[in-house]
Amino acid sequence: NSVDERNKSAAIGAGATPESLNLPSLDRVAAWALDLRPPAYPRERIDMVRAGPGETTYKAECSSCHDIGAPRVGQVTALAEIGTDPERVRSFTPELAGRMNTIGEGQPWQFSHFRKTEGYANMPLDGLWLRAPYLHNGSVPTLRALLFPEERPAEFYRAYDVYDWENVGFVSSGAEAAREGVRFDTRLKGNSNAGHLYGQHLTRELREELLEYLKTL
């Protein structure tokens, strides 16, 4: 629950050492990113007639976990509830958390906030349209597939940078995606696309309206 430790650990993961961290630069980037607005989805591609009722559905079904300042945003949802792939939770053991908290020994910023949980933290959704693929392991290629689990493909291609305006994500199938992208098989360990089945009680039309609203975040 420490953004500062998250930023430092990300820099170390990318190759910095505790001794080589440029703390003023890290702080400057963090301050710049804190209120940085995401690029907007092209308004002409949003059905605003549908997005209006979609906002009502979002506030009723999604906002408590995903709106900044809401009670559950940033909090951990247990695997037993969310049902997504468990391997990342399993891999982050109490022993690993303890070792993470030794990073920076002798420094005033030594890590102390890493801890073992039994689930995944709820994320804010700003700029959601550009965050594909979805779920913590990137196992769902589009927002449509997230809202309609029966449409989630067993395998697809990631890292192809052509946008899929209809399904809200990046193009993940076809010859071009296969040539330019990287194959992702959801049947492999750690790659499951199960879970996050919230909203399945909603009608298809309500979910279509919700999809239009999610474009506006």
Side-chain angles (χ1 to χ4, degrees):
N1 61 357
S2 167
V3 174
D4 183 63
E5 289 187 20
R6 177 266 165 210
N7 293 342
K8 288 181 171 65
S9 65
I12 291 169
T17 65
E19 295 75 26
S20 69
L21 284 176
N22 187 324
L23 300 182
S25 290
L26 281 174
D27 290 343
R28 187 167 63 251
V29 172
W32 171 74
L34 191 61
D35 59 358
L36 180 67
R37 296 289 300 170
Y41 196 95
R43 190 173 177 85
E44 66 274 13
R45 292 184 178 272
I46 303 174
D47 183 341
M48 298 305 296
V49 173
R50 276 181 154 181
E55 181 178 9
T56 300
T57 298
Y58 172 84
K59 288 181 177 178
E61 303 288 339
C62 315
S63 62
S64 65
C65 283
H66 294 297
D67 273 2
I68 293 175
R72 298 186 65 184
V73 72
Q75 303 302 307
V76 172
T77 296
L79 276 174
E81 176 185 338
I82 198 166
T84 51
D85 189 275
E87 297 303 328
R88 188 172 297 182
V89 166
R90 292 173 179 167
S91 71
F92 199 88
T93 62
E95 293 77 16
L96 177 56
R99 291 291 299 275
M100 291 292 292
N101 286 326
T102 69
I103 294 175
E105 284 184 337
Q107 304 285 349
W109 52 262
Q110 178 178 342
F111 292 170
S112 61
H113 289 75
F114 284 89
R115 68 191 191 279
K116 170 66 179 171
T117 70
E118 296 301 332
Y120 299 109
N122 304 318
M123 300 288 288
L125 302 184
D126 46 318
L128 181 65
W129 69 282
L130 276 177
R131 293 193 186 190
Y134 299 99
L135 297 185
H136 72 274
N137 59 354
S139 61
V140 178
T142 66
L143 277 180
R144 180 177 296 279
L146 186 67
L147 296 178
F148 297 93
E150 67 277 8
E151 299 181 16
R152 296 179 187 178
E155 58 181 67
F156 60 95
Y157 294 91
R158 304 198 322 184
Y160 182 48
D161 64 358
V162 174
Y163 202 75
D164 182 346
W165 298 105
E166 179 180 357
N167 296 309
V168 193
F170 293 94
V171 174
S172 57
S173 63
E176 293 289 332
R179 184 171 64 250
E180 301 291 337
V182 178
R183 180 173 169 271
F184 187 92
D185 187 343
T186 65
R187 293 158 294 204
L188 298 178
K189 184 177 181 179
N191 286 4
S192 172
N193 62 6
H196 198 284
L197 301 179
Y198 305 108
Q200 297 312 293
H201 63 286
L202 300 172
T203 65
R204 186 171 189 90
E205 178 59 21
L206 285 172
R207 281 182 278 169
E208 292 283 0
E209 292 169 348
L210 177 59
L211 181 64
E212 289 302 312
Y213 176 70
L214 291 176
K215 296 175 182 178
T216 71
L217 298 179

